[in-house]
Structures are given as C-alpha cells and as structure tokens.
Amino acid sequence: MPARGNALTRRIRSSGGKLLRRFGLLPGGMPDGIGDDAALADATLDGDVVVYFPDTQDSLYQLRTWYGPLRELHRAQGVTIVCMDSRTAGSLRAEMDLPVVTIALDATLDSIILRSDTKLVLYVNYNPLNTAALRSRSAIHVSLLHGDSDKVVSVSNQIKAYDYSFVAGQAAIDRLERYTTLFDAPARCIPVGRPSLDTDRVEATSRADDRPTVLYAPTWEGGQSSAAYSSLNSHGPAAVRSLLAAGLGVIYRPHPLTGVRVPEYGETDRELRELVESAGGRVSTDRPLQHDFADADLILCDVSAVMGDWLPTAKPLLITRSADPQARDAATALLGMSPRLAAPDASRAGSLARELIDHDLLREERVELIEYYLGNTAPGASLARFLEACERLSARRDELWARIREQEHPAADDSA
C-alpha cells in the first residue's frame, strides 16, 4: 500500500484542505494543487517536451535560469511547462510566452504525457515531487538542474532516478565519478555547457561607478548541514564593511531563498542591503547575473554555481570557506586552486580583493579550466549543444518506445 503521507498532507487533501488551497493559506513550500485537470481530460500537450516543475514560487529562480534556452527549444520542438501549483503557473505565464498548465492529479499527468506522445521530460531540481512525472515510461527523463557546482547536491544519489543528465562539462562528469557510487557518469551524462550563458549574454557597458568593484554573491543557508555553504552570517557584514573601507564598489546579490529556512539569514540580508545602499553600492535582485558579472572586477562567493559561471570572465575570484564544520564539498580543480576566505579573515576581505584585482597571478590557470568546466564557450556553442542533445534524445525515445509498443502489441500472425 502506498504511503499516505503525514497528518498535514492528509488534512490538506480533505475538504478543509481544499479551502486552505483556495484561499492561499498553505505553508510556503507546499504546492496548492489547484489544477486544470478537468479541462485537460481529453487534451494533449503542445510540442515534444515537457518541463516538469512542481515547486512553489520560492523556487522559480531555478527555472528562470533556463528561460532563454527553453524559448529556443520551444521554437525547435515545442515545450509545455507543467506545474503543480497554480500560483507558480500564474507567475510563469506573466514572465514568458511558453504554454503552461497546472496538473494536480497523478492520473491526469500520466495519461496526458502518453496521449501527447511526449518525448522528453526535463527537470531543473531534485524535488521529491518529481516522482509524479518520473513514473511515465513513455518518455525519456532528463535532469538539467540549475547550475554546476562543488556543492554535495551536485553528486546526489538522486541523479540515478533520471535517464540522462545534462551537465556543464567534463568537470561535472569527473565529480560524479569520484563521489557517486554505482553510477555510470560517462554513459548517463551529456555535456552541454551552460546554455543560459549564451541566451543571457551581455556586452560590457560603461559603468556609473569607476571604482574597482566586487560582486558579493552568497548562496542561501542550504537544506541540510552538509550543504550549509552560505557565508552571509559568518562572513557577510565584516567582509562588506572591509570592501567598502578599502574604497571598492560593492554589488550585493542576495540568493532568492535567503532566510527561507533560517530567519537570522533574512535579518543579515536586510542589514547588508542597507549597508550597501547607504554606501552607494548596488543591491542586485532584478537583473540578469551576466550584468553583474560585466560590472564587477572580482567576485566574492560561496561554493555554488556562480563559481563556474564566472569562469569565462577570466577575472579573479575569492571563495569563502564555510564556517559550518558539517559542510562538505565535492571538490574539483577550481575550488582547489582558488583563494579561500575563512570567517576569521572576513575583515581582511578588502585588502585581499585589492591584491587579487591588482595582481591576478592565477589568471592563466583559470583560463585553462574554462573548457574543462564548460566546454566550448564561443557564442552560441552551448545553446547548439543543448538543442542537438534534446533532438537526439527525442529520436532515441521514438526508437525505444516503438520497440516497447511492438513487444506489448505484436502484429497479428498472418499465417493463422
């Protein structure tokens, strides 16, 4: 018998739960399950590809990193985004022009994927709710994730649930081979670079601030102790004050989930916003990451995906060392060669940043790592690899599914 879930889930599924969903009183991380199921009873989905995103609006940043590539994939093969939360679906419809539907019932999802002859289902995270779509055996399931990093989530055992994973480059494959047992990374991983770096590419522009500028981009507090990489509380205030005291411009880019799990991080975030704005810096919350990259001379960041995305700029970086003794890295070459900033040294961030900007002794070594992490970074190359991989897997799905259907429904014996 399938698990019935916890008491809260059972209450939400009751008639009282329906009222909670209808009036928006659900806990923040729980999808409301207000679906278009009735209207979809006999419908089919547009295109060959489904992006399954059962999350709430808090996690939309994960899907936003794929907006550009998904628009191009929609032009090539047709894409429908399937949500489990009507509020998330509403935000998606306002932000992009791809078809979006909300499906609450597993039975609706399974039948519409089969009826639509969906070839690929793409996922941008490891949400346990992804299993609703993963049940479908008529499509190929591909993990995209929303960044490539040395976080332990990048080598999660959950990767085994997906038929294939699109990864940034050889570094990701090597990381998985090193840290993930019983997983054939070379066979199951397809390097596509970072297609969003192509679609979100910006040219350097003249700056309003002519001071050398540091981008401080901490990650959030993480969902578990082994992934507690955020420097916001341990390093943030001292580091930002040190950067400003050294005469450096500061761009502060808070993570969208800051303070969601630990309220104290939200309090520190508000403190840093006030500090940076009062000093004439920028708090960046509503513009593409590539704009912040273009305006900065150095990045101060945690162990996160921005490390690899920053690499093609060829500019120096300073990576924090987590103050949480339980945090674990899935270390690769970039993390091993880069300068690290421990919490007790946060008050020296300004002088360290000045030294790295003025004397970038590791530039050539970082440039040599670009292809290892991202493959060919020529404009358009990553996007082309992404689209080609989707087309190739779609063709493979058709071959495999035709074989399965033939085994299930063999042709009548003409000799009878």
Side-chain angles (χ1 to χ4, degrees), residues 30-203:
M30 184 172 293
D32 62 14
I34 301 175
D36 306 317
D37 296 67
L40 296 171
D42 299 310
T44 57
L45 300 175
D46 294 337
D48 295 340
V49 182
V50 161
V51 176
Y52 190 63
F53 190 74
D55 301 74
T56 55
Q57 291 166 296
D58 284 343
S59 297
L60 258 178
Y61 74 94
Q62 299 171 346
L63 186 55
R64 288 187 180 110
T65 64
W66 284 97
Y67 278 6
L70 290 177
R71 288 189 180 100
E72 296 302 320
L73 182 59
H74 183 58
R75 294 187 181 99
Q77 292 189 243
V79 174
T80 298
I81 301 177
V82 175
C83 301
M84 192 183 285
D85 185 276
S86 66
R87 302 160 297 184
T88 302
S91 294
L92 285 168
R93 292 186 184 107
E95 293 178 10
M96 62 186 318
D97 53 2
L98 269 63
V100 180
V101 298
T102 309
I103 297 178
L105 302 176
D106 291 357
T108 305
L109 181 64
D110 184 68
S111 61
I112 201 169
I113 288 176
L114 183 59
R115 188 167 60 245
S116 303
D117 198 33
T118 298
K119 303 180 190 305
L120 301 181
V121 183
L122 310 180
Y123 307 81
V124 298
N125 58 30
Y126 289 146
N127 190 322
L129 294 173
N130 288 351
T131 54
L134 280 166
R135 292 189 183 100
S136 174
R137 62 189 180 90
S138 62
I140 285 180
H141 300 268
V142 182
S143 169
L144 304 181
L145 294 187
H146 50 279
D148 175 72
S149 75
D150 286 330
K151 289 185 174 182
V152 290
V153 70
S154 294
V155 292
S156 170
N157 213 43
Q158 293 164 290
I159 195 172
K160 298 174 184 176
Y162 304 86
D163 298 313
Y164 292 95
S165 290
F166 287 177
V167 297
Q170 187 61 42
I173 297 174
D174 291 348
R175 185 190 297 118
L176 285 161
E177 280 210 286
R178 182 183 306 164
Y179 293 102
T180 307
T181 59
L182 301 176
F183 178 71
D184 189 350
R188 301 274 297 278
C189 294
I190 300 175
V192 298
R194 294 281 283 142
S196 60
L197 299 184
D198 279 338
T199 56
D200 298 341
R201 193 179 295 269
V202 298
E203 300 298 330

Side-chain angles (χ1 to χ4, degrees), residues 346-367:
S347 59
R348 298 178 52 237
S351 60
L352 290 171
R354 277 277 187 188
E355 178 66 20
L356 290 170
I357 291 171
D358 294 340
H359 306 284
D360 184 9
L361 303 180
L362 297 174
R363 185 180 189 280
E364 290 186 7
E365 294 179 48
R366 287 196 313 275
V367 169

Side-chain angles (χ1 to χ4, degrees), residues 297-365:
D297 300 286
L298 175 144
I299 189 170
L300 171 61
C301 65
D302 304 332
V303 175
S304 70
V306 297
M307 288 167 41
D309 289 352
W310 173 264
L311 201 54
T313 70
K315 293 182 283 192
L317 72 168
L318 179 58
I319 304 171
T320 64
R321 194 180 299 278
S322 174
D324 192 317
Q326 298 184 73
R328 295 291 181 269
D329 301 332
T332 52
L334 180 60
L335 194 61
M337 65 163 283
S338 300
R340 306 294 300 272
L341 183 69
D345 297 323
S347 59
R348 298 178 52 237
S351 60
L352 290 171
R354 277 277 187 188
E355 178 66 20
L356 290 170
I357 291 171
D358 294 340
H359 306 284
D360 184 9
L361 303 180
L362 297 174
R363 185 180 189 280
E364 290 186 7
E365 294 179 48

Side-chain angles (χ1 to χ4, degrees), residues 8 12 16-17 19-28 30 32 87:
L8 176 60
I12 287 172
L19 289 175
L20 287 175
R21 291 197 299 269
R22 181 62 62 185
F23 291 102
L25 300 177
L26 288 173
M30 184 172 293
D32 62 14
R87 302 160 297 184

Side-chain angles (χ1 to χ4, degrees), residues 198-221:
D198 279 338
T199 56
D200 298 341
R201 193 179 295 269
V202 298
E203 300 298 330
T205 58
S206 58
R207 302 184 192 175
D209 191 337
D210 58 2
R211 295 176 296 175
T213 297
V214 174
L215 169 61
Y216 178 43
T219 190
W220 73 299
E221 52 266 31

